[in-house]
Amino acid sequence: MIFCESSWVFWFIFLIIIGFLFILGRHLIVTTPSTTFNSTSKKVDIAIPTEGTPPDRQTLYNASIQLIIHAENTSWTRIINFLTADSILMLAWATIFASSDLANKAWVLIIMSLVGFLLSIVWAPFGSRGRRYFKRYVDIAKALEQNISENGQVCDGPVNSGEKLKFLSWEQLCRSQNLAVIVLLFFAAAFFFVFLKSISLYLKQ
């Protein structure tokens, strides 16, 4: 059989996907989304009142803190939901794989592993985007809470003070922005491996 775990075709295809996942992960972690604004941007047809005073600095700061909390909770909720769904899929695949009469269930294994792989690929940018929103709100809060004291020095608030903490190199590597992508793509690699194995079992029938 040309397509099995011991064949070069199996591992060649798997390594190609690993390379693709590496490039995707690096893009989601390293690149910074651009912010643009011009007069041709799409406008929303909503009447905005012109009376009253614009929000002051304290109001904007409070709003940014609320957005930070919301983005943090939403981001981790999404990741937990993903891990739950993918763990169930992987456990179901392993249960069927260990059962008897495996040859007649190979097509089920193919579908389950493919769904898990595609789900992981889609969820990785989803998780990365949530962490980037969080980072953007943190940057806004940092800018709003800075103040100049009477002696001319910058007084930092809690957000700025937290950002100044120094961590070890491996701690920096394990930041939530990185883990939100790496963990999801690790699941994608695992699901693609069992997808290839499922195809191999199907072709052996």
Side-chain angles (χ1 to χ4, degrees):
M1 181 68 64
I2 189 174
F3 191 82
C4 62
E5 288 182 65
S6 60
S7 70
W8 67 270
V9 177
F10 182 99
W11 291 106
F12 179 73
I13 296 176
F14 180 68
L15 290 177
I16 289 178
I17 294 301
I18 292 297
F20 164 74
L21 295 177
F22 176 81
I23 295 173
L24 176 61
R26 187 178 184 279
H27 171 74
L28 294 176
I29 292 174
V30 176
T31 58
T32 303
S34 59
T35 56
T36 58
F37 179 80
N38 52 56
S39 58
T40 61
S41 300
K42 185 178 179 180
K43 297 182 179 180
V44 181
D45 188 16
I46 298 178
I48 301 177
T50 57
E51 299 179 355
T53 59
D56 56 16
R57 181 174 177 180
Q58 182 62 45
T59 301
L60 292 175
Y61 179 71
N62 292 338
S64 66
I65 294 299
Q66 292 300 317
L67 286 172
I68 289 174
I69 297 173
H70 176 72
E72 179 79 349
N73 292 336
T74 302
S75 176
W76 285 113
T77 299
R78 289 173 177 173
I79 293 175
I80 291 172
N81 291 339
F82 160 80
L83 292 176
T84 301
D86 261 15
S87 297
I88 292 174
L89 272 175
M90 186 63 76
L91 180 61
W93 186 95
T95 301
I96 296 175
F97 180 78
S99 64
S100 58
D101 193 22
L102 181 60
N104 296 328
K105 300 176 182 178
W107 64 273
V108 179
L109 298 178
I110 293 176
I111 294 176
M112 293 177 62
S113 57
L114 183 60
V115 169
F117 173 72
L118 295 177
L119 180 63
S120 303
I121 291 295
V122 171
W123 218 289
F126 200 47
S128 175
R129 186 168 66 246
R131 300 312 301 173
R132 290 181 178 184
Y133 274 118
F134 171 78
K135 179 65 167 57
R136 180 63 174 174
Y137 299 147
V138 168
D139 290 339
I140 293 173
K142 286 166 57 179
L144 288 171
E145 75 177 13
Q146 285 184 344
N147 195 15
I148 305 298
S149 62
E150 294 180 357
N151 57 7
Q153 295 181 349
V154 177
C155 297
D156 289 335
V159 179
N160 277 285
S161 298
E163 289 291 312
K164 291 182 178 180
L165 293 176
K166 293 184 179 181
F167 298 96
L168 300 176
S169 299
W170 66 271
E171 290 178 305
Q172 292 288 350
L173 186 62
C174 296
R175 293 165 50 196
S176 58
Q177 173 67 35
N178 298 341
L179 293 178
V181 174
I182 294 174
V183 172
L184 306 185
L185 294 183
F186 175 81
F187 268 91
F191 271 110
F192 191 79
F193 179 83
V194 298
F195 171 70
L196 294 179
K197 187 171 182 63
S198 301
I199 293 179
S200 178
L201 291 172
Y202 181 79
L203 294 177
K204 289 180 181 179
Q205 295 182 12

